[in-house]
Amino acid sequence: MSQIVPSHTMNYLSNLPGIKQQNDGVSTGSRWIKGGGGTLESFSPVDGQVIGSVTMASRRDYDEVVRQAQNAFNDWRLWPAPKRGEIVRQVGEALRVHKPALGQLVSYEMGKSLQEGLGEVQEMIDICDFAVGLSRQLHGLTMHSERPAHRMYEQWHPLGIVGIISAFNFPVAVWSWNAMLAWVCGDVCIWKPSEKTPLCAVACQHIVADIFNKNNVPEGVSTLVIGGRETGEWMANDSRVPLVSATGSTRMGKAVGAAVGARLGRALLELGGNNAIIISKDADLDIAILGSVFGAVGTAGQRCTTTRRLVINEEIYEQVKQKLISAYGQLRIGDPLDEKNHVGPLIDKDAVKQYMQAIEDCKREGGKFIVEGGVLNGDGYESGCYVKPCIAEAKPEFKIVQHETFAPILYLLKYSSIDEAIAIQNGVPQGLSSAIMTLNLREAEKFLSQAGSDCGIANVNIGTSGAEIGGAFGGEKETGGGRESGSDAWKNYMRRQTNTINYSTQLPLAQGIKFNV
């Protein structure tokens, strides 16, 4: 693995509207508030430099944002859905204009490769396009009534305020998955971004505010509160927020789910993943190796859909192992804004500590590393956040294999039958994404059947990452059960109402009940 040195420390703020070195971190839309909750500095894991600072919300600031959002909802819900969709269309067009600068900021503040930073902004554009079409398709059903001269149907109404808690690894895309759908549904949004990537959120809020101002969108439809764990707790416990959509660790999701559930609110949870690819002896190994390597090292292993386990048929195990060793030897680690590099840094030094601890835990349980890990030092690695993607031979029952480590560590596991492979794939607490590499139709169909993968996403001959916005995204078990983005995920942001209309001169009662007065 060659060491590539970051060649610059750049200010990516100047090409984005309204962004500066010192930023207000509370916004009701076009109005920015200097938060009373202290100052948060954003450090780039690329070079360890401070990019800028943001003021955080106090409880008073948070309550002001909620009040503004409540007022905005009363107006916004009355806008026709296609008109709301037109606003989202314009947001998509603005994102196209700002894609290069915003993609660079995502890459620099979070540490993912420039290609992935630009790809994340493209996901935002794609969900805008999807939401625009959806704005004319918020349909219900009609049903036959058992009573004569009655019509029965269902319709969908907006919920109100949608609280969005997003994670650092996708600092803008996951917010957009929620916000664009919520807006066309008639909801208003309060965004609490990760405190590790606040500037990306500030940039998005400025882009959206410009479009909203031009179209006289009510102040408070798009709001922002930057803060730490306490801010998320305010939102989770706030009965004024009927839906909280939270992305992050399983530990965080359990706390949010418990708080929201205690007040009988709704929680949409997108939590940890521990994703596996089954590599069959009937696999196209060129595709299998490419999908496995990208899935394992993309975003430096910091995706919820990262490939963390390879379940390999024993007949081809040694062959696959050698191909992986060769592929890892060609990885270039360094400045993610240099498109020649494949792997950037971890988000911070705490993530590096967790990575190193996982390596030690794996060795302690008997794991054998065929590609060694470690922290990179020297020129270009001054931030202390660059690590080596590594591969370990392990066993399914290892505690560390059962655990999600947000870092580029890949575990190799053997199997002899397809039933054993599926059991290994399913034998972890998480249930987000899964894949099988095979040209055997029976294996592929079994993997997708009721007896197959227990994950929310199951792929054949593609990896575990790279989900398209057209399909509902989410997982089962400790992944939280939430669904975002495509398909009918829009129903999460609305409430269902059943309506019955009597157009007769009589009042027949249901089930033929007779009631005389």
Side-chain angles (χ1 to χ4, degrees):
M1 290 178 283
S2 58
Q3 299 183 2
I4 307 300
V5 178
S7 59
H8 52 73
T9 298
M10 296 180 63
N11 179 0
Y12 292 102
L13 308 183
S14 59
N15 293 324
L16 288 163
I19 307 295
K20 49 191 182 297
Q21 289 298 131
Q22 294 182 326
N23 300 269
D24 296 330
V26 183
S27 173
T28 61
S30 61
R31 185 165 65 94
W32 289 83
I33 301 169
K34 185 180 176 78
T39 300
L40 174 68
E41 288 186 321
S42 175
F43 291 83
S44 171
V46 175
D47 53 21
Q49 299 298 310
V50 177
I51 312 173
S53 62
V54 182
T55 61
M56 295 187 292
S58 66
R59 180 60 199 241
R60 182 177 179 179
D61 300 327
Y62 169 80
D63 285 333
E64 170 61 22
V65 166
V66 173
R67 283 191 292 270
Q68 190 72 60
Q70 286 178 308
N71 293 334
F73 175 63
N74 292 331
D75 293 332
W76 181 242
R77 64 183 175 179
L78 300 180
W79 285 41
K83 187 176 179 181
R84 297 192 296 256
E86 166 58 18
I87 305 304
V88 171
R89 185 195 67 78
Q90 293 180 38
V91 171
E93 291 303 311
L95 289 170
R96 285 177 168 89
V97 172
H98 295 293
K99 178 179 175 179
L102 184 56
Q104 286 180 331
L105 178 59
V106 168
S107 178
Y108 188 54
E109 188 173 34
M110 185 268 150
K112 63 176 58 178
S113 72
L114 178 59
Q115 300 96 313
E116 290 181 275
L118 295 171
E120 183 168 347
V121 180
Q122 186 60 49
E123 282 193 39
M124 302 174 73
I125 295 167
D126 292 343
I127 198 65
C128 286
D129 291 348
F130 180 87
V132 172
L134 181 65
S135 69
R136 295 180 182 271
Q137 300 180 69
L138 300 175
H139 55 269
L141 299 174
T142 59
M143 294 146 283
H144 289 281
S145 172
E146 65 184 39
R147 291 167 285 188
H150 282 57
R151 181 164 67 90
M152 186 164 60
Y153 69 99
E154 67 178 22
Q155 59 182 335
W156 295 82
H157 296 300
L159 285 172
I161 298 175
V162 174
I164 304 169
I165 301 173
S166 61
F168 75 85
N169 60 329
F170 280 86
V172 294
V174 174
W175 162 75
S176 71
W177 289 2
N178 286 274
M180 304 308 158
L181 296 193
W183 288 338
V184 299
C185 288
D187 297 314
V188 299
C189 297
I190 300 176
W191 183 13
K192 187 268 176 205
S194 169
E195 57 269 37
K196 297 180 181 181
T197 51
L199 296 177
C200 288
V202 171
C204 290
Q205 182 71 358
H206 276 290
I207 292 169
V208 168
D210 182 57
I211 298 300
F212 281 21
N213 286 339
K214 291 176 181 177
N215 289 274
N216 296 314
V217 172
E219 184 84 4
V221 172
S222 175
T223 58
L224 178 69
V225 285
I226 290 176
R229 176 177 177 176
E230 186 179 46
T231 309
E233 291 173 347
W234 297 337
M235 187 181 292
N237 288 286
D238 194 341
S239 59
R240 297 170 296 179
V241 182
L243 172 63
V244 176
S245 176
T247 303
S249 68
T250 297
R251 177 192 55 79
M252 179 276 289
K254 287 180 177 180
V256 170
V260 176
R263 60 178 175 85
L264 299 181
R266 298 190 195 181
L268 197 169
L269 302 175
E270 296 291 354
L271 311 176
N274 191 350
N275 315 292
I277 297 178
I278 297 172
I279 302 182
S280 163
K281 61 183 176 62
D282 295 321
D284 180 326
L285 289 188
D286 289 338
I287 291 177
I289 297 300
L290 179 60
S292 299
V293 173
F294 174 74
V297 307
T299 322
Q302 297 172 111
R303 291 179 177 226
C304 51
T305 55
T306 289
T307 304
R308 309 203 181 277
R309 298 174 294 142
L310 286 188
V311 186
I312 308 167
N313 186 279
E314 60 187 7
E315 295 183 27
I316 58 167
Y317 181 86
E318 290 299 325
Q319 183 182 2
V320 170
K321 184 170 76 171
Q322 293 306 315
K323 285 181 176 290
L324 288 169
I325 292 171
S326 175
Y328 270 55
Q330 300 172 53
L331 293 176
R332 298 167 65 93
I333 307 166
D335 181 0
L337 288 128
D338 182 344
E339 295 189 35
K340 295 179 182 178
N341 294 329
H342 303 108
V343 184
L346 295 179
I347 186 65
D348 56 26
K349 291 182 180 178
D350 285 340
V352 174
K353 291 178 183 177
Q354 293 171 15
Y355 159 86
M356 292 301 296
Q357 185 62 55
I359 290 174
E360 290 304 311
D361 289 346
C362 183
K363 290 179 178 178
R364 190 178 302 113
E365 291 191 79
K368 175 187 175 184
F369 279 83
I370 60 172
V371 175
E372 291 288 345
V375 181
L376 294 170
N377 299 299
D379 291 343
Y381 301 122
E382 291 87 355
S383 71
C385 296
Y386 291 87
V387 302
K388 299 176 184 178
C390 55
I391 304 175
E393 294 182 287
K395 294 183 178 180
E397 63 270 21
F398 284 4
K399 288 183 179 179
I400 192 62
V401 174
Q402 296 280 313
H403 174 74
E404 179 193 38
T405 303
F406 233 48
I409 304 174
L410 181 63
Y411 303 110
L412 305 190
L413 313 168
K414 285 183 185 178
Y415 80 90
S416 57
S417 70
I418 186 62
D419 289 335
E420 181 187 6
I422 292 172
I424 293 172
Q425 139 65 38
N426 293 344
V428 293
Q430 309 84 0
L432 179 53
S433 187
S434 59
I436 187 170
M437 299 290 183
T438 184
L439 301 179
N440 184 315
L441 179 63
R442 289 177 175 171
E443 287 185 334
E445 289 294 333
K446 185 162 192 174
F447 180 73
L448 301 178
S449 74
Q450 296 92 329
S453 169
D454 64 0
C455 294
I457 299 170
N459 299 326
V460 176
N461 292 329
I462 63 171
T464 58
S465 59
E468 297 182 32
I469 60 94
F473 179 89
E476 301 299 326
K477 301 189 293 188
E478 287 192 359
T479 302
R483 292 297 185 276
E484 295 173 329
S485 191
S487 185
D488 64 349
W490 61 270
K491 294 180 179 178
N492 288 308
Y493 307 92
M494 305 194 83
R495 58 181 176 88
R496 188 195 309 253
Q497 184 181 80
T498 300
N499 309 110
T500 305
I501 301 171
N502 176 9
Y503 58 91
S504 75
T505 59
Q506 305 295 318
L507 184 60
L509 304 178
Q511 290 86 44
I513 293 173
K514 302 296 183 182
F515 183 76
N516 296 319
V517 293

